[in-house]
Amino acid sequence: MSYRLQVLIPEDLHSSVRKAAQRGGVSKGEWVRRAIDEALHRHSDESGASGDLVARLASLNAPTADVETMVRESEPAQL
């Protein structure tokens, strides 16, 4: 199902959208849909709102160990 979204934009922004859509070979509507989708993905990636946070942490490939080992390794060495 699709929904209609009517948004009023200033003339200069309309001109920019029209030109960008022409360059991309798509309609203005398609260009705006893609821009909204990209912005939503970028925002959710930045805010951490999307996806499994544990999986995102695991993807960092950071060093791991049990708590005691991590604390011991993070303390400055005694000279």
Side-chain angles (χ1 to χ4, degrees), residues 6 14 53 61:
Q6 185 173 0
H14 178 263
L53 293 179
N61 295 320

Side-chain angles (χ1 to χ4, degrees), residues 10-63:
E11 186 175 338
D12 59 331
L13 182 56
H14 178 263
S15 178
S16 296
V17 169
R18 182 180 48 78
K19 289 175 186 175
Q22 286 175 341
R23 283 192 305 272
V26 296
S27 68
K28 289 183 293 185
E30 180 61 21
W31 191 91
V32 170
R33 282 187 290 276
R34 290 177 184 180
I36 291 171
D37 189 54
E38 181 181 321
L40 289 171
H41 280 89
R42 189 172 52 249
H43 176 73
S44 66
D45 289 345
E46 291 169 358
S47 68
S50 71
D52 180 16
L53 293 179
V54 173
R56 290 183 67 209
L57 283 171
S59 73
L60 296 175
N61 295 320

